[in-house]
Amino acid sequence: DNTPPVITLTGNASMTVELGGTFTDPGASADTGETVSASGSVNTSQVGSYTITYSATDSSGNTGTATRTVNVVDTTNPVVTVTGANPASVELGATYSDAGATATDLAAVTVTTSGTVNTDAVGSYTLTYTATDASGNSATATRTVNVVDTTAPVVTVTGDNPATVELGATYTDAGATATDADTVTVTSTSNVDTDTVGSYTVSYIATDASGNTSTATRTVNVVDTTAPVFTSSDTFSAVENQ
């Protein structure tokens, strides 16, 4: 007898198992009932192609073999988790530091970030995080970053405060300036009446493009420090020693 046993695989000769999964060998059988032994191993923690060899030896010492290929594959995308607040807010003109994102996967994985945040312009921006594992599987997640302006302008009164103007004179207001991270306009209201002695107020209102406002005031004192001037059309005479 020089005919080796014929080994028949149970299941497919080529099998696939997902990385991190469990491989259960379906085994094999010999046509003449001999015991079939298997050699080789499958590491489901490592992508690759593995071979299991089945062999059986009959009573005449003839040995038959068969092999099965087991492919450990990674078809699962990473899971991306955005770190920190989402959406996030940053004040206009401030510095934005992104908290980034993390990814989990059974294989080595890297995370890259795309998108920019312009903190000099109010608006909504998107950052995209892309995770790619060693097998080329990828997944994305996004963060919305809102650049907001909640800061009121700073108003500075120009010139004297309080200011003084003479009764009956013309009052020219020196105005005010405002600073802000955004475009800002300054308007003023005044109740100064230079024909009446008293204390008056000029109000300055600064409004930025986001609607934030702030105010400042100047006190204007209308005063009368000018002595009267006496004039007469009459002629007077006097007799000496009388």
Side-chain angles (χ1 to χ4, degrees), residues 16-237:
T16 299
V17 60
E18 188 69 18
L19 178 69
T22 300
F23 172 68
T24 301
D25 185 14
S29 60
D31 63 340
T32 51
E34 290 84 5
T35 299
V36 178
S37 62
S39 62
S41 62
V42 177
N43 182 5
T44 60
S45 298
Q46 179 67 50
V47 170
S49 183
Y50 301 87
T51 300
I52 298 177
T53 300
Y54 305 92
S55 60
T57 303
D58 64 18
S59 58
S60 298
N62 302 302
T63 300
T65 63
T67 60
R68 186 194 316 272
T69 300
V70 180
N71 297 305
V72 176
V73 298
D74 179 10
T75 63
T76 303
N77 293 331
V79 176
V80 185
T81 302
V82 177
T83 305
N86 187 20
S89 294
V90 59
E91 191 68 18
L92 180 69
T95 300
Y96 175 69
S97 297
D98 185 49
T102 60
T104 55
D105 194 77
L106 291 174
V109 61
T110 58
V111 180
T112 59
T113 305
S114 60
T116 58
V117 177
N118 181 6
T119 59
D120 292 326
V122 170
S124 182
Y125 301 86
T126 300
L127 297 178
T128 300
Y129 308 98
T130 302
T132 305
D133 66 19
S135 297
N137 303 300
S138 65
T140 62
T142 61
R143 185 200 312 273
T144 299
V145 181
N146 296 310
V147 177
V148 298
D149 180 8
T150 64
T151 304
V154 176
V155 185
T156 302
V157 176
T158 305
D160 295 336
N161 189 17
T164 301
V165 60
E166 190 70 17
L167 179 68
T170 299
Y171 173 69
T172 302
D173 188 57
T177 60
T179 56
D180 192 78
D182 206 349
T183 304
V184 61
T185 58
V186 180
T187 60
S188 64
T189 59
S190 173
N191 65 353
V192 177
D193 178 6
T194 59
D195 293 328
T196 304
V197 171
S199 182
Y200 300 89
T201 300
V202 180
S203 297
Y204 308 96
I205 302 174
T207 305
D208 66 19
S210 297
N212 303 300
T213 63
S214 58
T215 61
T217 60
R218 185 200 312 276
T219 299
V220 180
N221 297 310
V222 177
V223 298
D224 182 6
T225 62
T226 304
V229 176
F230 177 76
T231 59
S232 176
S233 59
D234 295 330
T235 301
F236 298 90
S237 63

